[in-house]
């Protein structure tokens, strides 16, 4: 797998340090709200890519929290978003009146996340924010307000730390650019 990587963008150590910073920021930002309602926040992972990020992030948040998962697809096995969003697995938890943080692996076109945010907002949470590990620099990206951003990254095909190409490379401990000849 490593030989398919053109360049490592973010090392395992850099990712761990940034996730810890985001966790501390979330802890600080939500401490008063959690003290008032006592229920904590709900982290929602967009499966499968964000599962590793959310697990690491959850361990860095020093507040009561719940974790839930959604599976949303707009890629299939291709390298570009298809633009068609499907919910493959919905939440198990009720989010009405709750503070929700969506843990996303990468904000690329933004089409999937825009759809997801609209869907979740219709369920009337107290608040809803996005924590994305990566945000690509693209001109055609949908306008998405991300309160927590791990790293800005180039508009390249990125894999590792949960991100995949055709379900491969998720288990790499770093984030790298996949060689074009691979996809």
């Amino acid at each position: 797998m490593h030989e398919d990587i053109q360049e490592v963008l973010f090392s395992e150590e850099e990712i761990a340090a940034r996730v810890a910073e985001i966790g501390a920021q979330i802890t600080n930002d939500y401490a008063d709200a959690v003290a008032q309602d006592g229920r904590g926040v709900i982290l929602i992972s967009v499966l499968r890519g964000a599962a590793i990020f959310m697990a690491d992030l959850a361990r860095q948040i020093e507040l009561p929290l719940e974790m839930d998962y959604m599976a949303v697809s707009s890629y299939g096995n291709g390298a570009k978003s298809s633009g068609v969003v499907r919910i493959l697995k919905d939440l198990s938890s009720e989010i009405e009146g709750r503070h929700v943080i969506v843990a996303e692996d990468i904000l690329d076109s933004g089409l999937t996340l825009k759809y997801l945010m609209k869907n979740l907002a219709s369920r009337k949470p107290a608040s809803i924010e996005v924590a994305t590990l990566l945000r690509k620099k693209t001109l055609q990206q949908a306008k998405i307000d991300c309160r927590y951003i791990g790293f800005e990254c180039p508009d390249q095909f990125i894999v590792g730390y949960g991100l995949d190409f055709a379900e491969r490379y998720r288990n790499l401990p770093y984030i790298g650019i996949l060689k074009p000849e691979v996809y």
Side-chain angles (χ1 to χ4, degrees):
M1 290 188 306
H2 301 284
E3 63 276 359
D4 293 343
I5 303 303
Q6 177 178 304
E7 175 187 350
V8 174
L9 290 176
F10 307 107
S11 70
E12 186 174 3
E13 296 77 19
E14 289 171 314
I15 295 166
R18 186 64 186 120
V19 171
E21 290 171 0
I22 295 170
Q25 188 178 359
I26 290 171
T27 299
N28 185 57
D29 291 350
Y30 286 89
D32 291 342
V34 169
Q36 288 177 4
D37 73 18
R39 297 189 329 178
V41 298
I42 297 179
L43 283 180
I44 297 174
S45 171
V46 181
L47 292 174
R48 299 179 191 145
I52 293 172
F53 171 53
M54 186 171 88
D56 287 349
L57 181 61
R59 288 190 291 261
Q60 298 298 324
I61 297 172
E62 296 185 24
L63 297 170
L65 62 81
E66 295 176 36
M67 295 171 32
D68 206 341
Y69 304 88
M70 291 184 84
V72 182
S73 175
S74 68
Y75 281 84
N77 283 335
K80 296 281 184 191
S81 177
S82 67
V84 178
V85 180
R86 298 181 309 144
I87 293 179
L88 304 175
K89 182 215 175 294
D90 208 345
L91 297 175
S92 301
S93 305
E94 291 293 325
I95 64 169
E96 185 172 344
R98 304 293 305 276
H99 295 286
V100 172
I101 301 171
V102 177
E104 180 66 293
D105 54 356
I106 188 165
L107 177 53
D108 193 344
S109 71
L111 297 174
T112 303
L113 189 55
K114 185 174 181 176
Y115 171 86
L116 181 62
M117 295 299 286
K118 184 177 178 181
N119 180 288
L120 294 174
S122 74
R123 302 178 197 200
K124 299 179 173 71
S127 68
I128 184 168
E129 298 291 349
V130 175
T132 187
L133 179 62
L134 299 169
R135 183 170 65 184
K136 280 191 179 181
K137 299 173 187 173
T138 63
L139 296 175
Q140 56 280 75
Q141 192 174 82
K143 185 167 172 53
I144 305 281
D145 183 29
C146 293
R147 186 166 182 180
Y148 309 101
I149 299 170
F151 303 97
E152 298 281 348
C153 68
D155 189 12
Q156 300 282 334
F157 202 96
I158 311 298
V159 295
Y161 194 73
L163 296 133
D164 75 301
F165 171 64
E167 298 303 324
R168 296 186 62 208
Y169 308 102
R170 291 189 194 278
N171 57 324
L172 293 174
Y174 54 81
I175 295 169
I177 299 172
L178 192 62
K179 290 179 180 175
E181 59 267 22
V182 175
Y183 61 93

